[in-house]
Amino acid sequence: MDNMPKLLIIAGIVLIVIGAVWAFGGKWLQFGRLPGDIVVEKENFKFYFPIVTCIVISVVASIVMYLFRLFK
């Protein structure tokens, strides 16, 4: 039970850092509009599927989870 407060603090810090990067770095990092994301635009219809963005998020999350297991 002693690890839960540490885990929550680390998760909170990670979320704050991600939020700050998203808020302030959004102009320079076009995350969500990467090459390979599918966009279909018609007259009254717009379909957007960020496939490459999903892959990048999955790879980063997998690396972070691996590091958590490695240093546990």
Side-chain angles (χ1 to χ4, degrees), residues 4 11 14 16 18 26-27 29-31 34-35 38-39 43 48-49 56-58 65 71:
M4 187 56 112
V14 168
I16 289 171
I18 289 172
K27 294 179 182 179
L29 301 171
Q30 293 297 319
F31 199 64
L34 295 175
I38 299 170
V39 179
E43 292 176 11
Y48 178 70
F49 186 68
V56 169
I57 290 172
S58 176
M65 291 299 161
F71 292 115

Side-chain angles (χ1 to χ4, degrees), residues 1-45:
M1 247 339 167
D2 292 329
N3 291 333
M4 187 56 112
K6 292 178 187 177
L7 180 65
L8 290 174
I9 290 171
I10 291 171
I13 291 171
V14 168
L15 287 174
I16 289 171
V17 169
I18 289 172
V21 168
W22 196 328
F24 299 116
K27 294 179 182 179
W28 300 287
L29 301 171
Q30 293 297 319
F31 199 64
R33 301 194 186 272
L34 295 175
D37 289 345
I38 299 170
V39 179
V40 176
E41 292 186 35
K42 300 217 176 184
E43 292 176 11
N44 296 328
F45 177 75

